[in-house]
Amino acid sequence: EMGKFLSEIAESGAGVVVATHDIEFAARFAKKIAIMHSGKIISSGEKHETLTGQLFFTTQIGKLLREHAPGILTAEEAAEKVGYLISSV
């Protein structure tokens, strides 16, 4: 998988920059994110700081859980932080 490959390169000490429209991919693999609109950076920083609380520029699961479990951006985070709610049903 591309994300794992890029993560391995980053862990080796190399700098990795990826331009993507896939917010889910960025949330899963990036440490820092810059959001651009009309050719300008409108937000940047650590991924949770940048994507949490956004109405448009966030992940689908972030939108779904924003009222009940703010700060969750990926399915892995949801399973870790609120998975017990699902498994007890």
Side-chain angles (χ1 to χ4, degrees):
E1 178 174 292
M2 180 63 75
K4 290 179 184 176
F5 173 72
L6 294 172
S7 293
E8 289 171 7
I9 292 172
E11 287 171 11
S12 75
V16 177
V17 176
V18 175
T20 183
H21 289 260
D22 188 343
I23 293 176
E24 311 295 328
F25 177 85
R28 185 167 175 207
F29 294 104
K31 291 182 181 178
K32 294 184 179 182
I33 292 177
I35 298 174
M36 295 183 73
H37 179 69
S38 297
K40 296 181 180 177
I41 295 175
I42 59 169
S43 182
S44 67
E46 189 272 328
K47 69 181 172 185
H48 284 91
E49 168 189 307
T50 304
L51 297 176
T52 298
Q54 293 275 351
L55 295 176
F56 183 72
F57 297 107
T58 193
T59 61
Q60 292 300 312
I61 202 157
K63 292 174 186 176
L64 180 67
L65 296 176
R66 86 174 76 213
E67 298 297 323
H68 306 289
I72 292 176
L73 297 176
T74 66
E76 294 83 5
E77 291 174 359
E80 179 184 314
K81 294 179 182 175
V82 295
Y84 67 91
L85 294 172
I86 297 168
S87 64
S88 66
V89 174

